[in-house]
Amino acid sequence: MNSKATRVLVSFLAALPLLLLGCSGNSNTTSSSNPPSGGSTGQMSMLVSDDPINDWAEIGVKVLSISLKPQGGGAPVVVYNPNPAAMINLVELDQLADILDSVSVPAGTYTGATVTLSANPGDVALTASTDPDTGFAGTPGEIVPSSQIQILGATGSAGSLTVPLNVNFASPVTVVANQSGGVDFEFDLSNPAFIVAHAPLGGGQTIWAVDFTPALRHHPIFDITRLVLRHLYGSFVSVNSTSGTDTSITITRVFPAEPPTNPETSIPSSRNLTILADAANGTLFYDMDAHTQSTIMNFNGVASGLAGKFLRVAARYQSDGSLVAVRIWVSSSFNTVWLNPEGHVLHVTSSSLVLDNEDGVPVTVNVDSNTQFFFRTPANPSADAKPFCTGTTCLSDLVRGFKVHITVNDPLSVPLDAQTVDIEIARFGGNISSPGQASFVYKRDFVGTADDYTKTMFYIMNTTPNGNDPLTGAAIKGFKWWNFAFPTLLDSIVTSANPIADFVSATGGSANFGGTVGAMPVVGTSYAIWNDGANPAGWAAPWTVLAPTPAPLAKVATQWVTNGTSTGGAFTITVTGGSNPVTVNASAVSGSATLVYQVDRSNGIITISPVDLTSQSGLNTVKTNLTVGTPVKVFGVPQADASIKAYVFFYYTGTMPTS
């Protein structure tokens, strides 16, 4: 079992003038009984995003189409249908939004959507990280053969297999001309049922079962100006002038080949994007062929040199849906603009960074006194356009797990030397301890102990704006937190008199197996912001999500006892190396029930069957199967009474898994 799955967001902002298939945040949704109008349309931009994982360098998927379901019935409205469908590496997105397409969508009200993925052998690509977490079932740096990847839920004939995924919106979404609204599709890859590894007891081939169905859900988005966009690639088309000033350029969106080639090649799309220069703060413009750098307020001085060039653009959205360039890199070679390391930080030294690139290969980049560090803050354009730190001293502010995109002085030099470092996501996480009213502590341990860190995280100030409540839309200020299983149920100043006190209470428990295993801690993750008033010139946590901690592969010690169809049940487990049995509580409350899966491996085929605890038949099935000695894998949050509140658990039949 892969104990560290990842979370991916495939969200879109159903908005006029744009639609986003992008990262999670907040969005407005309104209800109406009007059907889609055949005459009124809006222009929509499509993006995708995800959350990080230490175990994988690449999780590649192909999105074949997205269609919206009109309220009251009618033909689905296709809003995304690329030809060809480029493979997207979800690992590199990590809460970032990657622009896919731009389409016209009829105004009207929609209640759901269908997202269709390609499911032929090779259409899902898995490349392991060079330094995965302890317990990872694969081999570091391994490109998993397609014969060892099973895509569950595939339909159709050989060569045309697909996985159609249906999602119902939490509330109907109305697209109205000249008004913005939103909806967020969330492929939550941190769901333990998303990628399940089965390594058979006694040896044999590991099979990776990929199941997209339990990972897809709806989550609201409110403010597009807060989206951090992944660097986008394009080929130059034209310069656009307003009153004699070259205010914008048009590019054709291109995508890098996945898996990467050498040299990297571009895959063109049929869609164009318009990119504005930042007339207020200036756009940093890098000519990678001439090795020059300048700040431009418009394209007047550089337009003549753009013909035949490829571009890499760090952009941000304005509230009207237009794209403004924060930084632009240009070259006559696509490989030159692409060949600048992007990935998650593996190691930090006093003078370098090591990244895990898309090939699952570690890349070392040196940092010197001239290297500029940027922290992406699109909601604050002036801060987004300027480096927050310069030189090697900046490295003390980075830890393993940060998502960065580096521009090097010469992509062919050995070693590489960093010109700029874009910190796109500042991720801290690990075991939570010492929670108090001002701060708490993250302790993160890795296989390589040099990467370990213990970090005191300050909560952001109570006056710092922090998005909107996903259910009510109410503005939030100050720290917020939630349980992984319930991302729309935030504990914030909107829902509680003291969310920090609630957080302190929720993170004070542990489940102790004793022996050499010891206590199972409370685990969380935060994406920090820079220079909040609570921690000037440092990181502060705007939010924390409490993640389901994976217990070691266990065996049932006392069999399942049902408390009732309205409450659930409990059982105890023991683990190898432990001396204490631990109680596992499972909920059967509709809407918050524990997820249960039967995993069967027979004749090299894995079947993962969900069991519904909210039904009597589901409770009976669990009671029948959870007998003493049954292997189980539990993911949950330790409680104050030393029990585990299970988010999901698996039990095994057929070929047993190795520990």
Side-chain angles (χ1 to χ4, degrees), residues 468-548:
N468 302 75
D469 185 86
L471 295 181
T472 67
I476 296 173
K477 291 185 177 181
F479 181 74
K480 61 188 179 185
W481 66 278
W482 64 94
N483 284 300
F484 165 87
F486 309 108
T488 61
L489 302 180
L490 305 186
D491 194 322
S492 69
I493 197 64
V494 171
T495 58
S496 172
N498 194 335
I500 292 179
D502 298 341
F503 177 77
V504 171
S505 176
T507 54
S510 66
N512 195 347
F513 288 101
T516 59
V517 178
M520 177 175 160
V522 177
V523 172
T525 300
S526 300
Y527 287 11
I529 62 174
W530 181 261
N531 200 31
D532 181 76
N535 188 24
W539 302 109
W543 52 262
T544 296
V545 54
L546 299 185

Side-chain angles (χ1 to χ4, degrees), residues 341-431:
E342 176 188 13
H344 290 91
V345 173
L346 277 177
H347 311 296
V348 183
T349 74
S350 60
S351 60
S352 68
L353 291 171
V354 181
L355 311 186
D356 210 3
N357 72 4
E358 296 178 80
D359 289 323
V361 176
V363 177
T364 299
V365 183
N366 289 337
V367 172
D368 60 29
S369 60
N370 297 315
T371 303
Q372 294 181 319
F373 287 74
F374 296 82
F375 178 59
R376 295 304 313 276
T377 52
N380 185 348
S382 61
D384 201 28
K386 298 175 182 177
F388 76 92
C389 186
T390 300
T392 55
T393 57
C394 309
L395 291 167
S396 62
D397 293 313
L398 278 69
V399 300
R400 176 171 171 170
F402 275 38
K403 171 63 171 60
V404 300
H405 200 148
I406 296 176
T407 298
V408 297
N409 291 316
D410 180 358
L412 299 180
S413 68
V414 179
L416 296 172
D417 296 308
Q419 182 181 40
T420 64
V421 177
D422 264 17
I423 300 174
E424 296 171 320
I425 295 296
R427 176 169 64 109
F428 294 92
N431 300 346

Side-chain angles (χ1 to χ4, degrees), residues 90-389:
L90 302 176
V91 175
E92 293 293 11
L93 300 183
D94 187 358
Q95 289 277 331
L96 309 178
D98 194 9
I99 301 173
L100 296 181
D101 209 342
S102 180
V103 295
S104 294
V105 176
T109 300
Y110 302 90
T111 58
T114 300
V115 179
T116 302
L117 306 180
S118 189
N120 300 299
D123 287 341
V124 171
L126 299 176
T127 301
S129 165
T130 56
D131 192 9
D133 287 338
T134 302
F136 180 63
T139 302
E142 172 191 18
I143 299 175
V144 179
S146 60
S147 60
Q148 291 177 236
I149 301 173
Q150 291 184 200
I151 306 172
L152 305 184
T155 62
S157 57
S160 301
L161 295 172
T162 64
V163 177
L165 301 167
N166 296 313
V167 59
N168 294 320
F169 297 156
S171 59
V173 174
T174 299
V175 178
V176 181
N178 302 316
Q179 294 184 13
S180 296
V183 66
D184 179 352
F185 292 128
E186 199 171 76
F187 276 102
D188 196 341
L189 305 191
S190 284
N191 189 312
F194 171 63
I195 301 178
V196 177
H198 192 293
L201 189 65
Q205 192 177 70
T206 299
I207 298 295
W208 300 89
V210 181
D211 188 358
F212 292 98
T213 302
L216 183 62
R217 62 193 182 190
H218 171 221
H219 181 87
I221 288 183
F222 282 93
D223 186 0
I224 62 170
T225 66
R226 304 182 74 89
L227 293 176
V228 179
L229 301 179
R230 185 188 186 191
H231 291 189
L232 59 91
Y233 299 93
S235 57
F236 175 75
V237 175
S238 64
V239 174
N240 311 306
S241 297
T242 302
S243 302
T245 300
D246 295 335
T247 56
S248 67
I249 57 174
T250 298
I251 64 173
T252 296
R253 185 73 167 96
V254 299
F255 296 89
E258 291 286 352
T261 60
N262 185 18
E264 181 60 289
T265 55
S266 63
I267 300 175
S269 72
S270 59
R271 298 298 178 179
N272 291 340
L273 293 173
T274 298
I275 310 292
L276 292 163
D278 191 336
N281 304 288
T283 295
L284 292 177
F285 186 89
Y286 303 89
D287 187 323
M288 303 191 74
D289 296 333
H291 301 286
T292 59
Q293 173 185 339
S294 59
T295 300
I296 61 173
M297 315 302 284
N298 54 61
F299 292 97
N300 283 2
V302 298
S304 61
L306 292 177
K309 297 293 182 69
F310 290 96
L311 300 90
R312 173 163 57 95
V313 183
R316 58 179 173 81
Y317 270 116
Q318 297 190 117
S319 57
D320 64 358
S322 59
L323 283 168
V324 174
V326 180
R327 285 178 292 287
I328 296 177
W329 297 263
V330 301
S331 173
S332 56
S333 164
F334 179 76
N335 190 60
T336 298
V337 295
W338 179 83
L339 199 58
N340 290 272
E342 176 188 13
H344 290 91
V345 173
L346 277 177
H347 311 296
V348 183
T349 74
S350 60
S351 60
S352 68
L353 291 171
V354 181
L355 311 186
D356 210 3
N357 72 4
E358 296 178 80
D359 289 323
V361 176
V363 177
T364 299
V365 183
N366 289 337
V367 172
D368 60 29
S369 60
N370 297 315
T371 303
Q372 294 181 319
F373 287 74
F374 296 82
F375 178 59
R376 295 304 313 276
T377 52
N380 185 348
S382 61
D384 201 28
K386 298 175 182 177
F388 76 92
C389 186

Side-chain angles (χ1 to χ4, degrees), residues 498-657:
N498 194 335
I500 292 179
D502 298 341
F503 177 77
V504 171
S505 176
T507 54
S510 66
N512 195 347
F513 288 101
T516 59
V517 178
M520 177 175 160
V522 177
V523 172
T525 300
S526 300
Y527 287 11
I529 62 174
W530 181 261
N531 200 31
D532 181 76
N535 188 24
W539 302 109
W543 52 262
T544 296
V545 54
L546 299 185
T549 306
L553 186 67
K555 290 186 177 181
V556 175
T558 58
Q559 68 182 46
W560 171 271
V561 176
T562 301
N563 298 329
T565 55
S566 61
T567 55
F571 59 102
T572 65
I573 59 174
T574 56
V575 300
T576 301
S579 56
N580 303 325
V582 171
T583 298
V584 178
N585 291 307
S587 170
V589 177
S590 181
S592 61
T594 299
L595 303 176
V596 180
Y597 297 91
Q598 175 178 306
V599 180
D600 179 82
R601 178 168 177 166
S602 300
N603 300 318
I605 302 297
I606 295 177
T607 303
I608 302 177
S609 305
V611 180
D612 183 8
L613 285 188
T614 65
S615 68
Q616 188 60 56
S617 62
L619 291 169
N620 292 340
T621 298
V622 170
K623 183 177 181 180
T624 300
N625 285 279
L626 283 192
T627 57
V628 174
T630 301
V632 290
K633 182 73 176 180
V634 177
F635 297 76
V637 178
Q639 302 295 292
D641 63 359
S643 67
I644 299 173
K645 182 179 180 180
Y647 166 64
V648 61
F649 67 82
F650 301 82
Y651 63 87
Y652 298 85
T653 59
T655 302
M656 292 294 103

